[in-house]
Every structure is written in C-alpha cells, then in structure tokens.
Amino acid sequence: MQGFTPAGLKMTITTLGEIVRHQRRERPDKVALVYAGDNRKWTFAELDREACQCANALQDMGVEAQDRIAYLDKNTPEFFTYLFGASKLNAVTVAINCRLAAPEMEYVLHHSQAKVLLIGEEFLPLLKEIKLGLKHVVVLGDPGDSAYPSYQQWIGDHPDSDPAYTADPDDTCFQLYTSGTTGLPKGVESTHSNLISGMSGSVEALNYSDSSVNQVCMPLFHIAGSGWAMIGFFAGARTILLKEANTQEILRTIPAHGVSHSLFVPAVLKFLLEEPKVQEVDLTSLRVIVYGASPISEQVLIDSMTTFQANFYGVYGLTETTGSVSRLEAGDHDPGGPRAELLRSVGKPSNGHDIKVMNTETGTELSESEVGEIWIRGPQVMRGYWRNQEATAEAIDNEGWFRSGDAGYMKDGYLYIHDRVKDMIISGAENIYPAEIENVLMTHAGVSDVAVIGVPDETWGEAVKALVCRSDQSLSEAELIEYCRQRIAHYKCPSSIDWLQQLPRNPSGKILKTELRQPYWKGRARNV
C-alpha cells in the first residue's frame, strides 16, 4: 500500500505513529479523546505528547523495533497513548482479552514474547497465577503493595520529544489473538498498511469528518473496538471511549456527547432494544451505525433501524482481515421493499478487496448462489500468524487468498454468510446451515435468542437441535417447530428444542457453539 491522504490532509499517512503526529500539527487544541467513565479529556496535542512519553519510557525499558508489548485491561484511554507510543518506536502492541482465564493469558504473554505488560489494577491478582517471564510490569490505577510502578509514575518525567523511529508500512504494529474456541489461540499480525487501508476506506464510505463524534464501546482487544477507534483518530474526529458495552451508558453518552458514529455487534443492538427507556432517549445526533462481527437476525436489524433512525451499514470481516472487507451500504437497507432480501447480505467487497467462494475439496471457484468457503484477498489481509508458519501457510495461499473458514455464497455481486464451515450440520447427506434456521426462529415473537447446533442421531448422523431463549414462557416445542415448517424445508427444521435462560457468547458477541455442543457429544470419539 502506498499510504493514504484524506481530504484536507497535507501529508500521506502510512503508519500509526504518523496519525497523532499529523493531528497534533493540524488541530492541536481540538479534543481528540473523552473517557466517559470519568470525563477525562485529551486534545490531539496532549494525546501525542503523552504517546511520546510512553515511547521514551518504553525505550528506557529496552524496547526496540518489532518487540512486543502487552496490554491487559478493559477499555481505557491509556491504551491509545501506549499503542501510539509503541508505534513511534516501531514496536508491536499486543492487546490481550481480559476475559480469558489466567492460564490462557499466560499462554498469550509467553507466545507473544512481550517485553512489557501494562495491566489494569483489577487484574493484578491474576499475576499470582501467571508465570510472567518478563521483566517489566506497569499498573493502570493503584499498584497497591505490588512492586510495580503506576502508569503515571512510569511516564513520570520522561520527555515528550518524539523518538521518530522509521517504520516500514509493511511492518507489524498490532497483534490480536484469535478467540481460541478450538485449539490454541493464534497471534494475528496486522501491519501499518493493513490498518491504514481499513481506516482510509471507512472514513470515505462512512462520511467521517473532523466534526464527527465517534463512540467506542466494543472491547479494544477486538478489532471491532480498536479498529473502529482508529478510524476516528484518523479522521480527526472526537472519540468517546466507554469502559465496556454497558447499554445504559451507551444510551447516556449518545445525547450527552452528540455521538454521530457508533459500531455495535448484533447482541448489543438487541440488548439496547430491550432497554425499557430506549424510546425516550434523544438519538437525533446519530448519523451512522455499523453492525457486524457476528450474524444478525432480520428482526433485530429492522427494529434497530426503526428505533435509531440512523444510516445502517452492515460489515463482514475477521481479525485476520483487520476488520471489514465487505459492506452493505445504507441504501441497500430496504425492509419491506423490492430489495428486502439484501438485509440478509453483508454487502459487496470493499476497500479494494476481492472475494470468491470456493469448493475446498476440488479447489475450484463456485458459481453464483452455490455455498462454499469464502476466500478473501486484498490490502487488509494479515501479514500472518506470529511464530506459526504452518498455520499461516494453511490460511493464505501463494496468490494471497485468505481462507476465512466461513461458508457463504455470492448473488448479484453481494456476499451472503451462511455459517462457519465447521458449524455446518450434515443430516442424511444434506448440508444444513444453522444461520438460516436461526434467522427464521428469531422472527417468532416469543423467541428472544437462539442457537442451532447438530446433535448425534443414530439414523441420520446428525439431527438439528435449537437452543432457545424465550420471552413467552407458554411457547411450546411443537408450536415452534411447526412455525419453522411453515417457512423452510422440513429437513432443515429442528427435530428438538431445549430451553435456555441465556446463550454463552464471547466478547465479540459470537455464540460459543463449541460449548453448547459439548453435553450432546460427550463420550464420543467424533463430534460429527
């Protein structure tokens, strides 16, 4: 990638460090970042100066180009000064999922070979369970009786002069770990070019300007959180950071700060709709809502469009593609209209990407409407998996095509997601995709949440089971199965239904189907 020059910019931005350097020159006194938790504010000049202090403090700890530094906390403003500071040294920030168990955190810290850990005070007790293997720990908040310095003590008297190390746009700058629902987590290496490509494409497509107000509520250890936040800084907008995706805090901060842009995973949209006073909130400042990271039911999408009255954009992407690589434009959202079926799509390839659907057994590209594995090629595809050449070679072929592991099809240039390839149910030699069934079940007024899985069946190999959270306790199994039979082919319909109070989800909102399947496949040598 050759870099990108947004409208009004006098230079080409090619690395993360250049973002804050540029904004400090162009709009030094403009508020860049507000932390909703305590209303602390940073102008672009203050943000860049503190990032420089972090860079110099890291350098004093021996951090050099392409060294890894780790962050472990919920969303805090210091994540960004740490990230931008690392970028000024051409170092790599590793954002660790703070919801992991201690052994999982330990694995990520060791695998990433992090030299420094910036950790929130509430997670300090976990260090007693983790064999660190690194010399430097810094605490966000009160370090208590630990021997570690606080963040403020750490940056202390370090100068705010920019070390201005040279970084190649194709150098790694950010590393997130895949959720690890199967096997060990893999460290996804994102380069400056990967991130700049995503930012530049989104600024134009989502109508950002330096007058925009960008709400960030998704976790920063997920590309839907950190990547979304970067767009706001890149555009010179004001960023409103929430500690976590608390629905009441989301609704409070929209009118309080005049939020114009926000991103939600479908689960958060659904929870927002269930807030008793959502209809009383002044949402008129909202211009753009982006949704993605997991499938959305048509009913939740339509209800969200009615409630929020903003321009909705559906996106599809993965950690390995540094966020979205396809986008359903606002004008394609047409419930009840002649193109209503597009609500089930994730749009057309975006930001210079190519997408094709492949038959993985034959290695051939499939025709329109045929379901296969989605392959992606373009400027946001990761550099690879850190310290895992074998997994990288399995994921990216010699022509740069990334194998997503998602099943879908193309129709009239639009991409439709069917499911994860591994989630496909095979019953009586028929391929069944749970997302299609879930979409139907979610249209029933008595269903609040649902997951469909395959369970063992002595006759058919697998049978379709629906795990349903119901808002109407009188809803019966027979009634709901019949509801499906009226809407999709009988062989796709659930043969049984279990009722649950809540479905397990990971921090990005995806249902943990591996966890849901376990009780039904326990004691079997194979899970299919």
Side-chain angles (χ1 to χ4, degrees), residues 223-224 316-326 380:
I223 196 65
Y316 165 73
L318 304 93
T319 305
E320 289 90 340
T321 62
T322 325
S324 64
V325 291
S326 79
Q380 291 172 220

Side-chain angles (χ1 to χ4, degrees), residues 296-520:
I296 189 168
S297 74
E298 289 178 60
Q299 198 59 53
V300 168
L301 178 54
I302 292 169
D303 290 347
S304 298
M305 292 171 65
T306 301
T307 297
F308 291 98
Q309 293 292 306
N311 290 315
F312 275 70
Y313 295 81
V315 296
Y316 165 73
L318 304 93
T319 305
E320 289 90 340
T321 62
T322 325
S324 64
V325 291
S326 79
R327 182 171 52 247
L328 186 69
E329 302 293 344
D332 289 329
H333 289 69
D334 185 29
R339 303 195 307 158
E341 70 171 30
L342 290 180
L343 293 184
R344 297 193 294 273
S345 166
V346 291
K348 295 182 177 180
S350 62
N351 299 356
H353 290 87
D354 298 315
I355 296 177
K356 63 182 179 180
V357 178
M358 298 291 290
N359 182 323
T360 53
E361 293 182 3
T362 63
T364 56
E365 186 172 358
L366 292 169
S367 302
E368 187 171 275
S369 298
E370 289 188 290
V371 175
E373 186 178 18
I374 298 164
W375 287 21
I376 302 155
R377 182 172 65 182
Q380 291 172 220
V381 172
M382 65 174 179
R383 182 178 185 177
Y385 294 115
W386 171 245
R387 299 176 60 206
N388 197 335
Q389 292 183 353
E390 182 179 351
T392 300
E394 289 176 358
I396 305 173
D397 72 10
N398 293 332
E399 296 181 350
W401 287 100
F402 169 69
R403 303 172 174 92
S404 73
D406 288 329
Y409 63 92
M410 299 291 294
K411 182 180 178 183
D412 298 328
Y414 289 83
L415 176 64
Y416 291 77
I417 308 297
H418 247 308
D419 224 312
R420 290 291 296 173
V421 170
K422 63 181 175 59
D423 286 342
M424 184 177 69
I425 301 167
I426 302 178
S427 181
E430 291 283 357
N431 293 347
I432 300 171
Y433 298 92
E436 184 179 2
I437 307 163
E438 290 162 354
N439 210 37
V440 170
L441 289 168
M442 279 299 293
T443 64
H444 193 289
V447 173
S448 60
D449 212 354
V450 65
V452 171
I453 62 172
V455 295
D457 186 279
E458 296 303 321
T459 302
W460 305 110
E462 288 182 278
V464 178
K465 176 178 284 290
L467 303 167
V468 177
C469 303
R470 53 183 170 179
S471 53
D472 178 3
Q473 298 304 309
S474 67
L475 180 63
S476 70
E477 180 180 43
E479 179 184 352
L480 196 53
I481 291 174
E482 181 57 30
Y483 182 84
C484 283
R485 284 174 169 253
Q486 293 172 7
R487 287 160 177 81
I488 54 175
H490 287 194
Y491 76 84
K492 298 180 182 179
C493 294
S495 57
S496 62
I497 293 174
D498 286 355
W499 310 108
L500 298 180
Q501 292 298 313
Q502 186 176 10
L503 297 178
R505 295 178 182 270
N506 73 7
S508 65
K510 294 179 182 177
I511 296 171
L512 298 174
K513 290 193 175 180
T514 301
E515 185 176 315
L516 289 173
R517 288 190 191 96
Q518 283 176 350
Y520 303 99

Side-chain angles (χ1 to χ4, degrees), residues 34-40 75 215-218 240-259 262 264 268 271-272 275 278 281-283 286 308:
V34 179
Y35 189 43
D38 54 19
N39 210 37
R40 283 183 291 157
N75 293 357
Q215 183 187 61
V216 178
C217 61
M218 302 313 299
I240 311 299
L241 179 68
L242 278 64
K243 186 175 182 179
E244 52 196 336
N246 177 285
T247 51
Q248 292 184 5
E249 187 69 352
I250 290 169
L251 294 175
R252 181 190 73 80
T253 53
I254 290 172
H257 295 277
V259 169
S262 197
F264 305 118
V268 171
F271 297 147
L272 286 169
E275 278 292 325
V278 65
V281 178
D282 181 1
L283 303 170
L286 269 174
F308 291 98

Side-chain angles (χ1 to χ4, degrees), residues 114-277:
K115 281 191 171 183
V116 181
L117 171 63
L118 179 61
I119 184 171
E121 63 176 90
E122 70 176 284
F123 298 100
L124 268 176
L126 289 171
L127 295 188
K128 296 176 182 177
E129 305 175 50
I130 296 173
K131 296 176 182 177
L132 277 179
L134 76 168
K135 296 179 181 178
H136 303 293
V137 176
V138 178
V139 180
L140 276 170
D142 182 2
D145 58 1
S146 72
Y148 309 126
S150 70
Y151 172 82
Q152 290 300 331
Q153 291 170 336
W154 176 60
I155 61 172
D157 296 327
H158 282 91
D160 61 8
S161 55
D162 195 326
Y165 273 62
T166 300
D168 188 303
D170 291 327
D171 286 340
T172 303
C173 64
F174 195 44
Q175 190 163 305
L176 297 175
Y177 276 75
T178 55
S179 57
T181 51
T182 58
L184 294 171
K186 297 188 288 289
V188 176
E189 293 191 73
S190 296
T191 67
H192 295 279
S193 287
N194 292 153
L195 284 158
I196 298 297
S197 174
M199 294 178 218
S200 60
S202 297
V203 164
E204 293 181 332
L206 302 177
N207 299 310
Y208 270 94
S209 72
D210 61 3
S211 64
S212 300
V213 180
N214 195 36
Q215 183 187 61
V216 178
C217 61
M218 302 313 299
L220 295 173
F221 57 76
H222 190 280
I223 196 65
S226 49
W228 179 251
M230 288 293 104
I231 300 169
F233 293 123
F234 187 79
R238 178 179 298 196
T239 295
I240 311 299
L241 179 68
L242 278 64
K243 186 175 182 179
E244 52 196 336
N246 177 285
T247 51
Q248 292 184 5
E249 187 69 352
I250 290 169
L251 294 175
R252 181 190 73 80
T253 53
I254 290 172
H257 295 277
V259 169
S260 62
H261 290 65
S262 197
L263 180 149
F264 305 118
V265 298
V268 171
L269 275 174
K270 176 179 174 296
F271 297 147
L272 286 169
L273 293 174
E274 293 170 354
E275 278 292 325
K277 296 184 178 180

